[in-house]
PDB file of all heavy atoms in Angstrom:
ATOM      1  N   CYS A 178     -26.601  19.242   6.198  1.00 96.00           N
ATOM      2  CA  CYS A 178     -26.651  17.768   5.707  1.00 96.00           C
ATOM      3  C   CYS A 178     -28.082  17.526   5.303  1.00 96.00           C
ATOM      4  O   CYS A 178     -28.911  16.799   5.874  1.00 96.00           O
ATOM      5  CB  CYS A 178     -26.295  16.886   7.000  1.00 96.00           C
ATOM      6  SG  CYS A 178     -26.196  15.140   6.495  1.00 96.00           S
ATOM      7  N   THR A 179     -28.280  18.209   4.222  1.00 96.00           N
ATOM      8  CA  THR A 179     -29.664  18.017   3.519  1.00 96.00           C
ATOM      9  C   THR A 179     -29.930  16.741   2.986  1.00 96.00           C
ATOM     10  O   THR A 179     -29.040  15.883   2.728  1.00 96.00           O
ATOM     11  CB  THR A 179     -29.814  19.083   2.427  1.00 96.00           C
ATOM     12  OG1 THR A 179     -29.430  20.413   2.930  1.00 96.00           O
ATOM     13  CG2 THR A 179     -31.173  19.179   1.804  1.00 96.00           C
ATOM     14  N   LEU A 180     -31.230  16.354   2.895  1.00 97.00           N
ATOM     15  CA  LEU A 180     -31.606  15.065   2.218  1.00 97.00           C
ATOM     16  C   LEU A 180     -30.832  14.890   0.940  1.00 97.00           C
ATOM     17  O   LEU A 180     -30.742  15.838   0.206  1.00 97.00           O
ATOM     18  CB  LEU A 180     -33.190  15.091   1.881  1.00 97.00           C
ATOM     19  CG  LEU A 180     -33.989  15.000   3.078  1.00 97.00           C
ATOM     20  CD1 LEU A 180     -35.484  15.386   2.736  1.00 97.00           C
ATOM     21  CD2 LEU A 180     -33.979  13.717   3.726  1.00 97.00           C
ATOM     22  N   ALA A 181     -30.285  13.646   0.701  1.00 98.00           N
ATOM     23  CA  ALA A 181     -29.586  13.243  -0.488  1.00 98.00           C
ATOM     24  C   ALA A 181     -28.251  14.160  -0.683  1.00 98.00           C
ATOM     25  O   ALA A 181     -27.889  14.121  -1.899  1.00 98.00           O
ATOM     26  CB  ALA A 181     -30.523  13.424  -1.780  1.00 98.00           C
ATOM     27  N   SER A 182     -27.722  14.535   0.361  1.00 98.00           N
ATOM     28  CA  SER A 182     -26.397  15.348   0.221  1.00 98.00           C
ATOM     29  C   SER A 182     -25.225  14.385   0.365  1.00 98.00           C
ATOM     30  O   SER A 182     -25.363  13.292   0.758  1.00 98.00           O
ATOM     31  CB  SER A 182     -26.405  16.478   1.243  1.00 98.00           C
ATOM     32  OG  SER A 182     -26.396  15.973   2.617  1.00 98.00           O
ATOM     33  N   LEU A 183     -24.116  14.872  -0.119  1.00 98.00           N
ATOM     34  CA  LEU A 183     -22.804  14.225  -0.062  1.00 98.00           C
ATOM     35  C   LEU A 183     -21.840  14.938   0.891  1.00 98.00           C
ATOM     36  O   LEU A 183     -21.503  16.066   0.522  1.00 98.00           O
ATOM     37  CB  LEU A 183     -22.259  13.991  -1.367  1.00 98.00           C
ATOM     38  CG  LEU A 183     -22.873  12.971  -2.211  1.00 98.00           C
ATOM     39  CD1 LEU A 183     -24.113  13.299  -2.872  1.00 98.00           C
ATOM     40  CD2 LEU A 183     -21.874  12.583  -3.441  1.00 98.00           C
ATOM     41  N   THR A 184     -21.342  14.323   1.922  1.00 98.00           N
ATOM     42  CA  THR A 184     -20.284  14.768   2.637  1.00 98.00           C
ATOM     43  C   THR A 184     -19.106  13.866   2.272  1.00 98.00           C
ATOM     44  O   THR A 184     -19.060  12.686   2.665  1.00 98.00           O
ATOM     45  CB  THR A 184     -20.457  14.712   4.092  1.00 98.00           C
ATOM     46  OG1 THR A 184     -21.660  15.432   4.398  1.00 98.00           O
ATOM     47  CG2 THR A 184     -19.313  15.287   4.912  1.00 98.00           C
ATOM     48  N   SER A 185     -18.113  14.433   1.528  1.00 98.00           N
ATOM     49  CA  SER A 185     -17.065  13.608   0.890  1.00 98.00           C
ATOM     50  C   SER A 185     -15.707  13.878   1.595  1.00 98.00           C
ATOM     51  O   SER A 185     -15.239  14.951   1.795  1.00 98.00           O
ATOM     52  CB  SER A 185     -16.994  13.958  -0.592  1.00 98.00           C
ATOM     53  OG  SER A 185     -18.184  13.755  -1.114  1.00 98.00           O
ATOM     54  N   PHE A 186     -15.083  12.689   1.958  1.00 98.00           N
ATOM     55  CA  PHE A 186     -13.769  12.719   2.702  1.00 98.00           C
ATOM     56  C   PHE A 186     -12.701  12.201   1.845  1.00 98.00           C
ATOM     57  O   PHE A 186     -12.870  11.147   1.330  1.00 98.00           O
ATOM     58  CB  PHE A 186     -13.817  11.872   3.954  1.00 98.00           C
ATOM     59  CG  PHE A 186     -14.959  12.312   4.963  1.00 98.00           C
ATOM     60  CD1 PHE A 186     -16.252  11.841   4.882  1.00 98.00           C
ATOM     61  CD2 PHE A 186     -14.639  12.997   5.964  1.00 98.00           C
ATOM     62  CE1 PHE A 186     -17.246  12.268   5.676  1.00 98.00           C
ATOM     63  CE2 PHE A 186     -15.528  13.422   6.940  1.00 98.00           C
ATOM     64  CZ  PHE A 186     -17.059  13.065   6.744  1.00 98.00           C
ATOM     65  N   THR A 187     -11.684  13.032   1.620  1.00 98.00           N
ATOM     66  CA  THR A 187     -10.618  12.569   0.739  1.00 98.00           C
ATOM     67  C   THR A 187      -9.471  12.197   1.686  1.00 98.00           C
ATOM     68  O   THR A 187      -8.984  12.887   2.590  1.00 98.00           O
ATOM     69  CB  THR A 187     -10.108  13.778  -0.271  1.00 98.00           C
ATOM     70  OG1 THR A 187     -11.240  14.028  -1.119  1.00 98.00           O
ATOM     71  CG2 THR A 187      -8.920  13.252  -1.022  1.00 98.00           C
ATOM     72  N   PHE A 188      -8.928  10.969   1.448  1.00 98.00           N
ATOM     73  CA  PHE A 188      -7.845  10.416   2.144  1.00 98.00           C
ATOM     74  C   PHE A 188      -6.514  10.376   1.420  1.00 98.00           C
ATOM     75  O   PHE A 188      -6.629  10.057   0.182  1.00 98.00           O
ATOM     76  CB  PHE A 188      -8.026   9.018   2.653  1.00 98.00           C
ATOM     77  CG  PHE A 188      -9.203   8.825   3.644  1.00 98.00           C
ATOM     78  CD1 PHE A 188     -10.523   8.780   3.327  1.00 98.00           C
ATOM     79  CD2 PHE A 188      -8.785   8.621   4.994  1.00 98.00           C
ATOM     80  CE1 PHE A 188     -11.467   8.489   4.228  1.00 98.00           C
ATOM     81  CE2 PHE A 188      -9.769   8.547   6.001  1.00 98.00           C
ATOM     82  CZ  PHE A 188     -11.071   8.484   5.582  1.00 98.00           C
ATOM     83  N   VAL A 189      -5.486  10.625   1.943  1.00 98.00           N
ATOM     84  CA  VAL A 189      -4.126  10.271   1.381  1.00 98.00           C
ATOM     85  C   VAL A 189      -3.557   9.300   2.333  1.00 98.00           C
ATOM     86  O   VAL A 189      -3.338   9.571   3.503  1.00 98.00           O
ATOM     87  CB  VAL A 189      -3.188  11.409   1.200  1.00 98.00           C
ATOM     88  CG1 VAL A 189      -1.829  11.053   0.720  1.00 98.00           C
ATOM     89  CG2 VAL A 189      -3.801  12.464   0.123  1.00 98.00           C
ATOM     90  N   GLY A 190      -3.389   8.073   1.864  1.00 97.00           N
ATOM     91  CA  GLY A 190      -3.063   6.905   2.837  1.00 97.00           C
ATOM     92  C   GLY A 190      -4.215   6.772   3.747  1.00 97.00           C
ATOM     93  O   GLY A 190      -5.373   6.682   3.376  1.00 97.00           O
ATOM     94  N   ASP A 191      -3.901   6.814   5.025  1.00 97.00           N
ATOM     95  CA  ASP A 191      -4.957   6.720   6.142  1.00 97.00           C
ATOM     96  C   ASP A 191      -5.512   7.985   6.569  1.00 97.00           C
ATOM     97  O   ASP A 191      -6.382   8.010   7.448  1.00 97.00           O
ATOM     98  CB  ASP A 191      -4.425   5.903   7.309  1.00 97.00           C
ATOM     99  CG  ASP A 191      -4.414   4.310   7.021  1.00 97.00           C
ATOM    100  OD1 ASP A 191      -4.663   3.998   5.973  1.00 97.00           O
ATOM    101  OD2 ASP A 191      -3.510   3.755   7.696  1.00 97.00           O
TER     102      ASP A 191
END
Side-chain angles (χ1 to χ4, degrees):
C178 190
T179 303
L180 291 164
S182 61
L183 283 74
T184 302
S185 302
F186 301 83
T187 298
F188 291 84
V189 172
D191 290 346

